[in-house]
Amino acid sequence: MKLLVLGLNHKTAPVDVRERLAFGPDIIVGALRDLTNCDGIAEGVVLSTCNRTEIYCAVQDCSEEAARHWLSRFHGVEQERVGPFLYAHLGRDAVTHLLRVCSGLDSMVLGEPQILGQVKTAYQTATDCTATGKLLGRLFQHAFSVAKTVRTETAIGSSPVSVAFAAVNLARQIFSDLTQQTALLIGAGETIELAARHLHRAGIGRIIVANRTVERAHELAAQFDGYAIALAEIGNHLAEADIVIASTASPLPVLGKGTVERALKKRKHRPMFMVDIAVPRDIEPEVRELSDVYLYTIDDLQGVIDEGLRSRQAAAAQAEDIIAFHADEFMAWLRSLDAAGLIQDYRQRAEELRDDVLARAQRQLDAGKPPTEVLNYLAHTLTNKLLHAPSSRLRQAAREGEAEILVAANELFQLDPNRAISTQ
């Protein structure tokens, strides 16, 4: 049994191709059953996110073509259309790939942690519908353990590499405990949503979302137990905010110096942390002149992001070493399965020889032969039968100059370690 990964991701395929091969939650169970019913594919896991679609298989021999055919057939897409965007990994490369994916080394944002949860969900779904077995079960549990080791032993996820992450990290530096703080998020786009998620994970006390379209603000705020206001209401609520993060598409600033000044008076000059990550800017630059305001723009954050990216890249190099070690460890376990099968076959053959010789010896006893003579026959015949095949192979190895086989046999049978092996 061999391991195979077949897939595409944000680095190999544009979004329109990724969309064609995506697996929604409503079809994933049927897809897994269909996949594992294919000839040569014994186990399967399907991982489908916005950035990647991958199938992990335990296959007989090399069933890459079967997997490619299944993927295109299931989605009704010609192989020629998607073939150039697909990658395939076999054996150790497949193991390494999964370990890198789980550790965030193959993500669009280096070191992001969300992918590990997505892989765990994909594996659990496959397990629940009995699409996994011994091989993929061991592989995925191993991958989860390695990902935890990478997180523990490197700084792969500790440095900010997105604007939203950098903004929240700076807020945590200013307010060490966010549980008592209120955040006002101006806008409701992707960056603001990501900032809301980071704040929520950091334990923010309260979230207010202000947006031109109040319905959209309500949708976002509801995800984090916050409440929504219109942009025109910002002045009434600004004094409540300890943290302000702004990112709208407005051509003009939505927050002026006068509004901030009035809010600071209401706050009795308690500090306010503000991040303007919009282009054009949402907060008037003159706000920076006010005491008790920490105002950062996207340019200010870029240095934090660049430093974080360098830190993650250094951590990624450490992570690659960890992954290489654990990939070898898994492959050693996989090879041991082959040895286990060989040992089982050899033991069965030896037991068959034993039973045959024992039956002959029993017949001799029944015929009245002396027990001592029968025991000698039993020992001599069984020894000859057990050693016949290995002895013949060793003589052949000597004739053909296969010294490595002779050396291996010397070690295997624990013979004289000083014996000189010559094939001359």
Side-chain angles (χ1 to χ4, degrees):
M1 197 71 70
K2 292 181 173 60
L3 290 167
L4 166 69
V5 179
L6 180 70
L8 47 72
N9 61 21
H10 60 282
K11 292 183 284 190
T12 70
V15 66
D16 61 314
V17 176
R18 300 203 303 272
E19 287 173 343
R20 296 290 301 275
L21 296 183
F23 292 85
D26 55 327
I27 64 171
I28 196 78
V29 171
L32 285 162
R33 287 174 179 155
D34 194 46
L35 173 64
T36 50
N37 281 334
C38 291
D39 288 341
I41 300 178
E43 304 175 37
V45 171
V46 174
L47 172 64
S48 187
T49 73
C50 58
N51 286 329
R52 71 179 65 243
T53 291
E54 294 175 341
I55 56 175
Y56 293 80
C57 305
V59 299
Q60 298 285 355
D61 300 321
C62 179
S63 295
E64 181 183 330
E65 272 310 307
R68 285 179 180 270
H69 176 73
W70 175 83
L71 187 61
S72 61
R73 175 182 61 78
F74 187 86
H75 287 288
V77 182
E78 302 84 359
Q79 285 198 57
E80 296 75 16
R81 170 94 169 88
V82 297
F85 303 103
L86 294 172
Y87 47 78
H89 302 297
L90 290 167
R92 188 185 188 282
D93 290 341
V95 176
T96 300
H97 180 77
L98 179 59
L99 267 53
R100 296 186 78 253
V101 168
C102 288
S103 300
L105 299 186
D106 197 55
S107 298
M108 184 178 289
V109 177
L110 181 65
E112 59 91 7
Q114 287 81 11
I115 186 63
L116 179 58
Q118 292 167 327
V119 175
K120 286 183 175 180
T121 299
Y123 171 69
Q124 189 60 55
T125 300
T127 300
D128 289 344
C129 62
T130 65
T132 60
K134 182 176 183 179
L135 189 54
L136 289 188
R138 179 69 176 254
L139 172 62
F140 276 80
Q141 293 300 332
H142 187 68
F144 301 152
S145 175
V146 173
K148 183 178 179 181
T149 299
V150 167
R151 292 273 161 193
T152 303
E153 297 186 7
T154 75
I156 190 68
S158 62
S159 304
V161 292
S162 71
V163 171
F165 192 7
V168 174
N169 256 34
L170 282 173
R172 294 177 72 175
Q173 291 176 29
I174 293 169
F175 305 102
S176 57
D177 179 14
L178 296 186
T179 60
Q180 304 301 313
Q181 312 304 320
T182 295
L184 170 62
L185 306 180
I186 305 175
E190 185 178 337
T191 301
I192 287 295
E193 182 173 352
L194 188 56
R197 294 189 185 284
H198 287 311
L199 285 166
H200 188 67
R201 289 194 193 101
I204 191 71
R206 194 165 57 127
I207 289 178
I208 306 170
V209 180
N211 193 49
R212 193 175 308 280
T213 306
V214 180
E215 289 78 11
R216 171 59 185 146
H218 275 298
E219 288 176 14
L220 180 57
Q223 297 180 47
F224 308 103
D225 299 322
Y227 68 93
I229 61 174
L231 288 183
E233 299 178 84
I234 287 177
N236 299 330
H237 294 272
L238 186 59
E240 303 169 38
D242 305 292
I243 299 164
V244 178
I245 301 176
S247 179
T248 76
S250 173
L252 298 171
V254 297
L255 200 54
K257 182 180 179 182
T259 304
V260 177
E261 235 173 345
R262 288 190 291 275
L264 285 171
K265 286 179 182 177
K266 289 182 184 178
R267 291 173 58 81
K268 297 182 180 178
H269 295 279
R270 283 183 292 116
M272 185 182 289
F273 171 68
M274 310 182 83
V275 182
D276 185 356
I277 48 184
V279 179
R281 285 179 282 188
D282 279 335
I283 303 174
E284 287 183 349
E286 291 77 12
V287 170
R288 193 187 294 268
E289 300 168 5
L290 298 173
S291 300
D292 306 310
V293 171
Y294 300 88
L295 174 60
Y296 290 82
T297 67
I298 193 167
D299 289 342
D300 297 324
L301 293 180
Q302 192 58 52
V304 177
I305 294 167
D306 290 344
E307 182 181 344
L309 188 56
R310 285 192 294 272
S311 175
R312 285 200 181 191
Q313 286 168 341
Q318 292 178 277
E320 295 285 9
D321 290 339
I322 293 171
I323 285 169
F325 173 80
H326 287 286
D328 288 341
E329 186 179 53
F330 184 84
M331 293 307 294
W333 173 80
L334 196 56
R335 287 191 296 272
S336 76
L337 296 183
D338 295 335
L342 180 64
I343 292 167
Q344 184 177 3
D345 291 346
Y346 185 68
R347 182 177 291 276
Q348 183 178 347
R349 175 62 178 153
E351 288 174 351
E352 289 171 356
L353 292 172
R354 177 204 63 197
D355 292 345
D356 177 61
V357 176
L358 185 59
R360 292 185 192 182
Q362 186 63 53
R363 287 195 293 272
Q364 290 182 20
L365 285 174
D366 293 343
K369 281 196 174 182
T372 301
E373 183 179 336
V374 174
L375 285 174
N376 285 334
Y377 164 82
L378 175 66
H380 178 74
T381 304
L382 185 58
T383 301
N384 283 343
K385 284 184 174 291
L386 289 174
L387 294 180
H388 174 70
S391 298
S392 298
R393 183 65 185 95
L394 288 174
R395 280 192 290 271
Q396 180 186 352
R399 286 195 303 269
E400 296 178 2
E402 296 174 304
E404 66 278 4
I405 291 180
L406 300 178
V407 171
N410 198 49
E411 295 176 355
L412 177 65
F413 297 118
Q414 299 180 348
L415 304 177
D416 183 1
N418 299 314
R419 181 185 298 276
I421 303 296
S422 174
T423 58
Q424 301 299 319

